[in-house]
Amino acid sequence: MSVFTPITIGEARTFVGPYNIGDIIDFQNIAAGVENSNFFVTTTVGRYVLTIFEKIPRADLDFYMGLMLHLSHAAIPCATPLADKNGLVLQTLKGKSAALVSRLSGGDISHPTSGDCFAVGIALAKMHVATASFSLKMPNWRGASWWHRYSAALKEHLSARENTALDAELRHQANFDVLDLPRGVIHGDLFRDNILWDDHLELHVPQMIDFYFAAEEKLLLDVAITVNDWCLDIGAYPVAKLDPSNTLALLSGYVSVRAFTPAERAAWPQMLRAAAMRSWLGRLGYHHFPRDSELTHPKDHPFSERLLAYHVAHEAENFALLP
């Protein structure tokens, strides 16, 4: 997790000037995120996050900014982009696209309870329902075609065991794109560090951030991505496995808002495997193709491999956890 494009407080002051949000009184790098550079900006008016987009094409950013605004208008608690005095959401900073987004109160949770997982399931389902009326389109750039391309690019860097496991899973997922499952806009990266909890006045509200993996895809894949992080048996680490109580809680919260179709229920073990493989590929890439940055925190790619192996060996148990 890194800052790829450092900026000074003076550069930040120039950037926020057109937003009419007062003067900066605190400015900090954020050691989070692996795709963009992020900074906390506190002004005399409020708290914000300044993001410099390192790799996302400018044309795609309209989708991400529009999605966050759409969800905010639908009363989904999430980070919301700000517009400057000219009504523009996207600006340029150091030759790259950049935006200022509201900074949500609260913090993330490293050891979620069943109650937390139930609330996350509800929040994810509400997001899926709300995006049904969102008109902008975005193909899933980390979908099945990317799995094959990236596996090929990584091949020479991996061990024989790793290549064998990836090849086997790609064969298992050969029908992924033709599965007839409900589709919509997914978050695509709803891990524990991408939800902040607002505990002000004893409320416990999940608030989503970091929508830059969002895309059109099978909604069930988003559920699997979320379960694979929120519902881990953290006490068993370094063993990779799901916690049954937390898994059942998250899925129960989700279906209380949007019920699974019979086809989704049948595909559930495959989605867990697809989500684990996707995360493993991404973390292998961060390990073998590191990028220059000011702050760096490694991802645990061997754990993702072990989680995939767990799902391969425990399909019956994963079926049994569906509410």
Side-chain angles (χ1 to χ4, degrees):
M1 294 181 274
S2 310
V3 171
F4 302 102
T5 303
I7 61 173
T8 66
I9 189 170
E11 290 169 324
R13 280 198 169 99
T14 300
F15 181 85
V16 304
Y19 289 90
N20 295 325
I21 56 171
D23 190 28
I24 293 178
I25 56 177
D26 189 45
F27 176 75
Q28 302 174 37
N29 295 330
I30 304 176
V34 293
E35 298 292 331
N36 304 309
S37 297
N38 298 291
F39 310 87
F40 285 139
V41 176
T42 302
T43 75
T44 51
V45 172
R47 305 192 311 160
Y48 310 93
V49 176
L50 193 166
T51 296
I52 300 175
F53 301 102
E54 300 292 342
K55 299 193 299 182
I56 302 174
R58 171 63 179 79
D60 293 350
L61 288 171
D62 289 334
F63 172 87
Y64 300 122
M65 298 296 109
L67 175 62
M68 286 187 279
L69 288 168
H70 178 87
L71 292 173
S72 180
H73 293 157
I76 302 297
C78 66
T80 307
L82 276 68
D84 70 5
K85 61 185 179 183
N86 297 314
L88 299 176
V89 170
L90 287 167
Q91 315 292 340
T92 300
L93 181 56
K94 299 192 108 171
K96 300 175 182 178
S97 296
L100 198 64
V101 177
S102 60
R103 180 181 174 186
L104 301 172
S105 59
D108 59 9
I109 293 174
S110 58
H111 292 73
T113 65
S114 293
D116 299 330
C117 291
F118 186 82
V120 169
I122 291 174
L124 181 61
K126 286 183 175 180
M127 180 209 138
H128 287 167
V129 171
T131 58
S133 58
F134 183 57
S135 60
L136 297 181
K137 305 297 181 184
M138 173 67 70
N140 184 8
W141 59 277
R142 281 207 167 182
S145 60
W146 177 82
W147 303 344
H148 287 272
R149 291 195 311 272
Y150 213 58
S151 294
L154 283 163
K155 198 172 190 67
E156 66 178 288
H157 300 277
L158 305 184
S159 68
R161 187 203 72 253
E162 289 171 321
N163 278 313
T164 297
L166 273 177
D167 289 344
E169 190 57 32
L170 288 170
R171 288 193 299 272
H172 183 76
Q173 300 290 344
N175 69 333
F176 182 89
D177 277 343
V178 299
L179 289 171
D180 187 15
L181 302 177
R183 296 177 60 87
V185 176
I186 69 170
H187 182 283
D189 195 35
L190 199 59
F191 287 10
R192 281 165 285 160
D193 58 357
N194 281 334
I195 285 186
L196 302 179
W197 298 81
D198 184 0
D199 291 324
H200 182 59
L201 299 179
E202 299 184 357
L203 295 175
H204 196 57
V205 180
Q207 305 168 105
M208 299 181 189
I209 62 173
D210 199 351
F211 285 86
Y212 304 114
F213 284 83
E216 291 181 275
E217 188 49 272
K218 297 167 183 61
L219 298 178
L220 192 65
L221 180 64
D222 212 16
V223 182
I225 291 168
T226 306
V227 163
N228 274 349
D229 188 71
W230 279 91
C231 302
L232 293 171
D233 185 343
I234 296 170
Y237 185 86
V239 174
K241 58 187 294 192
L242 295 184
D243 177 277
S245 297
N246 282 5
T247 303
L248 179 60
L250 193 149
L251 295 175
S252 297
Y254 187 91
V255 300
S256 72
V257 176
R258 190 190 79 84
F260 293 137
T261 67
E264 285 180 307
R265 297 180 70 86
W268 176 236
Q270 181 176 350
M271 288 300 110
L272 286 170
R273 290 173 62 165
M277 179 181 65
R278 180 182 184 265
S279 292
W280 184 27
L281 281 169
R283 291 179 175 190
L284 283 169
Y286 296 134
H287 177 73
H288 291 289
F289 308 136
R291 298 164 60 195
D292 292 335
S293 62
E294 184 175 283
L295 300 170
T296 300
H297 299 272
K299 292 286 190 175
D300 189 352
H301 64 86
F303 182 84
S304 296
E305 179 186 5
R306 295 195 297 274
L307 184 60
L308 173 57
Y310 169 84
H311 288 319
V312 171
H314 293 83
E315 288 201 354
E317 291 92 329
N318 287 332
F319 263 130
L321 291 174
L322 285 169

